[in-house]
Amino acid sequence: MRAGPSQEEIRRHNLGALLRHVHLSGPTSRAELTSRMGLNRSTIMALTADLTAAGLVREELPRETGRAGRPSLVVRPESARVYVFALDVGVDRLVAARVGLGGTVLDRREAVRRRGPFSLEEVVGPLAGFARQMHRKTRPDTVCVGVAAAFSGGVAREDGVVRFGPNMGAADVPFGEEMSRRLGLGLPVAVGNDANLAAMAEHLRGVGVGCRDLVYLHGDVGVGGGVIAGGALLGGHQGFGGEVGHMVVNPGGRPCGCGSHGCLEAEVGERALLEAAGRFGSQIGREAVRAVVGAADRGDIVAQAALNRVGDWLGLGVANLVNVFNPELVVFGGMLREVYLGAAAQVRSRLTVDALGPAREHLRLRTSALGDDATLVGAAELAFAQVLADPLEVLTRAGS
Amino acid sequence: MRAGPSQEEIRRHNLGALLRHVHLSGPTSRAELTSRMGLNRSTIMALTADLTAAGLVREELPRETGRAGRPSLVVRPESARVYVFALDVGVDRLVAARVGLGGTVLDRREAVRRRGPFSLEEVVGPLAGFARQMHRKTRPDTVCVGVAAAFSGGVAREDGVVRFGPNMGAADVPFGEEMSRRLGLGLPVAVGNDANLAAMAEHLRGVGVGCRDLVYLHGDVGVGGGVIAGGALLGGHQGFGGEVGHMVVNPGGRPCGCGSHGCLEAEVGERALLEAAGRFGSQIGREAVRAVVGAADRGDIVAQAALNRVGDWLGLGVANLVNVFNPELVVFGGMLREVYLGAAAQVRSRLTVDALGPAREHLRLRTSALGDDATLVGAAELAFAQVLADPLEVLTRAGS
């Protein structure tokens, strides 16, 4: 039980809501903000004035209105001035980007990561280097308001420690703490599971905009997931929610990195596809997956059979998730994007058999709109979360 | 994007929060309400005065304080005056109860339902009769503030229609509308899936109090589920969320009423257990399930094997749900209570193999605290939802 908010809390909420709107929707006229937020003009003016004074937004005359009369000023996020660092630790790559308020990627660096034994240094070292390079290039009047990372593994909400990441070889890694120390920006590094953050990114800026119930499936070496339920990310008790890749779909099936057998990951991940196609070992990664889909498309019957097999298990997994979550949308990202495009008929046929009719009648299946950058975009949104929750407070701490 | 609440919305929120507190926690002193709600004494006094004037609560001197000085008045829900009708439509029984504010069952009627073809009349008729009998016995100063029903089937959020209920033989049944017409109280009848409502009941008044992430599994002829994620019931896009009984755990396994094979329901429901024990046909229902568990307990090897088989699939289903939801608590209700008690070792052993270590390290497995009345208690809470959201408005409409 909690009492209603105080005047101060309402003001903070409204500042955050206005800033979030221009951050996600781009430059917006005062008139539109007034109608969208259901507040009167003078309140919008006061909120905008506070955000302008803090250097978070600026007001401009619109380019062309095409209408007579005084045009409504447009409120624009200070994308070049206020930014975050977004990091992405994947099995095959490391990415760091400087992302401006409003979601503009201002600068980015990327390195290929060799699959092999995990060490904190091989990940933290290059990322810290990238961030330093980008930081050096910023103008003195810019301000970094947050840092966050997407990590291919299970991240505990309580302390941000990566508790498991079988495909990275990571376990109990205090990645955020070490990353923060190495960056030396005096900012904590928030860490999230990559598929969870990608789900949030598709929900906020991708194919899932306006959709309150979606399941995002991310294929990489492993298969991860992120669930938006009733508009919020499903985190679970400790933050490990959404590990749909470890739902057993084929008891006694292929061995999985988690120690079990027949997990969705074991049946539809990269290795399952490449082995079924008789191509495991010669090539790995996204290119190898694309090669199988391409071969199937050209009539290669071994590749077709492999894709059918994997598509069938993927369809069963999706059917289970449809029954459990009743989503409006299922999004396929990472290598599952290619698998779905190559085996959509198989996936849909399984859905018809195994998903409850009423739960699938309004269901849409789509591929990721943000592609491989969904995880990075999600990390940027995580990094912006604090400034959007309490714009003036965060900026004061950032020393603007 | 939504602006912060108005003064009127805050007052409504606070009235609801205070009423919800005494409804769920029972009589509470003004002093405790002050500290729990973080509001000052005069605000609590004003809120209590409004609720008292509306006849929703009354203030009394506490019985014994054991302390010197003026005792703080105790705020108590008007349980005898303000009530709802809660209905439960199960495969084997029909229940109607009159439940007072605060959750007290004031009166109840129950009838055995024969399994067989479904008709709206065989369900609505007896329930309307029960409600009329109970209504006739109420004092003239009492007021009914809501009616709700738990139904063993999938209920669309949009219109309250029961879209599917394979074990009832129900499909596209406008149960709420017809029930409301037959009751003739001038009140709509809210309808919810039985397992969803039972999950909510265990969360609010049962074994899941204080737990924000739980999965409730309800076994009957079918297997239903309800998920509380981040403190809220998982409804999904249309309200069909939580149908975990139709998660396929054994592809190509036993046929299920939904048309698929190897659903959790098909592998661990009543029929699966009785058939495995060689007892299907002679007896049905809860007594038959208890007989198998009892026989296993006395060393009957056929019953033991049946229980092990069912416990194994149940464990796999729970492991999948643990990976997907990372709950703090899994609750076994209905006939799954007996199955779990008889096969806990099997369930736990499967969990150890198939659930991710970090996701299960804080997991608790428990049986339902509310027993077979969890669905009915959940229906009562659904019926009270409106008066708790807007206490004065609902009472005005109820014509008090």
Side-chain angles (χ1 to χ4, degrees), chain B residues 28-31 59-62 71-75:
Chain B
T28 310
S29 73
R30 275 197 200 162
E59 294 186 283
E60 296 177 339
L61 279 172
S72 178
L73 286 174
V74 163
V75 182

Side-chain angles (χ1 to χ4, degrees), chain A residues 4 7 14 242 248 260 320 324 354, chain B residues 4 7 14 242 248 260 320 324 354:
Chain A
Q7 284 305 305
N14 287 342
V248 174
S260 178
N320 279 355
V324 168
D354 293 321
Chain B
Q7 284 305 304
N14 286 344
V248 174
S260 177
N320 279 355
V324 169
D354 293 320

Side-chain angles (χ1 to χ4, degrees), chain A residues 83 85 87 96-98 107 109 121 124-138 178-185:
Chain A
Y83 70 92
F85 281 116
L87 312 171
R98 197 164 73 81
D107 199 353
R109 301 282 190 283
E121 181 53 33
V124 169
L127 289 173
F130 288 158
R132 265 193 305 275
Q133 288 169 25
M134 293 189 279
H135 194 242
R136 241 178 271 131
K137 285 174 61 188
T138 60
E178 181 61 15
M179 193 72 235
S180 170
R181 200 180 64 76
R182 289 289 289 276
L183 283 174
L185 295 167

Side-chain angles (χ1 to χ4, degrees), chain A residues 120-293:
Chain A
L120 202 45
E121 181 53 33
E122 58 108 356
V123 170
V124 169
L127 289 173
F130 288 158
R132 265 193 305 275
Q133 288 169 25
M134 293 189 279
H135 194 242
R136 241 178 271 131
K137 285 174 61 188
T138 60
R139 296 193 322 245
D141 67 333
T142 58
V143 54
C144 178
V145 294
V147 188
F151 200 104
S152 177
V155 181
R157 186 194 294 123
E158 189 184 40
D159 54 12
V161 168
V162 179
R163 291 295 307 281
F164 55 95
N167 299 307
M168 293 285 292
D172 294 316
V173 178
F175 168 75
E177 201 181 302
E178 181 61 15
M179 193 72 235
S180 170
R181 200 180 64 76
R182 289 289 289 276
L183 283 174
L185 295 167
L187 289 170
V189 176
V191 187
N193 169 266
D194 56 351
N196 279 357
L197 292 179
M200 193 43 102
E202 292 289 348
H203 172 58
L204 295 175
R205 296 188 179 276
V207 69
V209 168
C211 169
R212 293 172 56 79
D213 294 279
L214 70 83
V215 174
Y216 173 87
L217 286 168
H218 187 85
D220 209 321
V221 182
V223 170
V227 179
I228 307 291
L233 183 69
L234 180 102
H237 181 46
Q238 298 146 283
F240 304 133
E243 282 288 353
V244 301
H246 297 287
M247 175 173 63
V248 174
V249 289
N250 183 18
R254 294 171 52 89
C256 182
C258 75
S260 178
H261 285 76
C263 293
L264 186 62
E265 167 168 322
E267 302 296 343
V268 313
E270 182 187 310
R271 182 165 184 157
L273 180 69
L274 298 181
E275 284 190 356
R279 293 168 180 236
F280 186 73
S282 52
Q283 253 189 314
I284 53 164
R286 195 64 51 84
E287 280 314 309
V289 170
R290 283 203 193 100
V292 174
V293 176

Side-chain angles (χ1 to χ4, degrees), chain B residues 32-393:
Chain B
E32 199 177 330
L33 288 169
T34 305
S35 84
R36 287 285 188 98
M37 293 185 64
L39 292 170
N40 58 41
R41 285 197 60 208
S42 60
T43 307
I44 293 290
M45 273 182 67
L47 294 170
T48 307
D50 283 348
L51 294 173
T52 304
L56 289 163
V57 303
R58 67 173 186 277
E59 294 186 283
E60 296 177 339
L61 279 172
R63 300 226 170 94
E64 271 292 338
T65 68
R67 287 198 290 181
R70 203 173 60 167
S72 178
L73 286 174
V74 163
V75 182
R76 177 186 293 272
E78 282 280 15
S79 303
R81 188 177 169 272
V82 180
Y83 69 92
V84 297
F85 281 117
L87 312 172
D88 185 10
V89 182
V91 175
D92 289 330
R93 63 171 201 168
L94 301 171
V95 192
R98 198 163 73 82
V99 181
L101 191 65
T104 317
V105 175
L106 302 167
D107 199 352
R108 80 178 271 166
R109 303 280 190 283
E110 182 165 344
V112 172
R113 180 178 176 268
R114 284 252 185 81
R115 294 185 192 178
F118 175 85
S119 82
L120 202 45
E121 180 53 33
E122 57 108 356
V123 169
V124 168
L127 289 173
F130 288 159
R132 267 195 303 276
Q133 288 169 23
M134 291 189 282
H135 194 242
R136 241 178 271 130
K137 286 174 62 188
T138 59
R139 295 193 324 243
D141 66 334
T142 58
V143 53
C144 178
V145 295
V147 188
F151 200 105
S152 177
V155 181
R157 187 194 293 123
E158 190 185 37
D159 54 12
V161 167
V162 179
R163 291 295 308 279
F164 55 95
N167 299 308
M168 294 285 292
D172 293 317
V173 177
F175 168 74
E177 202 181 302
E178 181 60 14
M179 193 72 235
S180 170
R181 201 180 63 76
R182 288 290 289 277
L183 283 175
L185 294 168
L187 288 169
V189 175
V191 187
N193 168 266
D194 56 350
N196 279 358
L197 293 179
M200 194 42 101
E202 292 290 347
H203 172 58
L204 295 174
R205 297 187 179 277
V207 69
V209 168
C211 169
R212 291 172 56 81
D213 294 280
L214 71 83
V215 174
Y216 173 87
L217 287 167
H218 187 84
D220 208 321
V221 179
V223 170
V227 178
I228 307 292
L233 183 68
L234 179 103
H237 180 46
Q238 300 146 281
F240 304 134
E243 282 288 352
V244 301
H246 297 286
M247 174 172 65
V248 174
V249 289
N250 183 18
R254 293 172 51 89
C256 182
C258 74
S260 177
H261 285 76
C263 295
L264 186 62
E265 167 168 321
E267 302 296 344
V268 312
E270 181 187 311
R271 182 166 183 157
L273 181 69
L274 298 182
E275 284 190 357
R279 294 171 180 233
F280 186 73
S282 52
Q283 251 189 315
I284 53 165
R286 194 65 51 84
E287 280 315 309
V289 170
R290 285 204 191 101
V292 174
V293 177
D297 204 37
R298 287 188 305 273
D300 177 330
I301 57 166
V302 176
Q304 279 173 349
L307 207 50
N308 280 351
R309 183 195 145 85
V310 166
D312 196 49
W313 289 119
L314 182 59
L316 178 59
V318 172
N320 279 355
L321 296 170
V322 166
N323 291 339
V324 169
F325 288 106
N326 182 209
E328 184 180 357
L329 181 68
V330 174
V331 183
F332 300 95
M335 62 78 79
L336 287 181
R337 185 178 176 279
E338 327 295 334
V339 170
Y340 174 68
L341 291 174
Q346 203 70 25
V347 171
R348 288 186 181 276
S349 132
R350 259 297 192 175
L351 262 178
T352 309
V353 174
D354 293 320
L356 295 164
R360 65 178 147 78
E361 69 187 356
H362 297 295
L363 178 71
R364 289 178 295 137
L365 304 181
R366 293 287 184 276
T367 57
S368 162
L370 302 169
D372 285 342
D373 273 353
T375 46
L376 189 73
V377 171
E381 292 307 321
L382 177 60
F384 277 119
Q386 273 212 295
V387 77
L388 297 175
D390 193 353
L392 307 189
E393 171 67 15

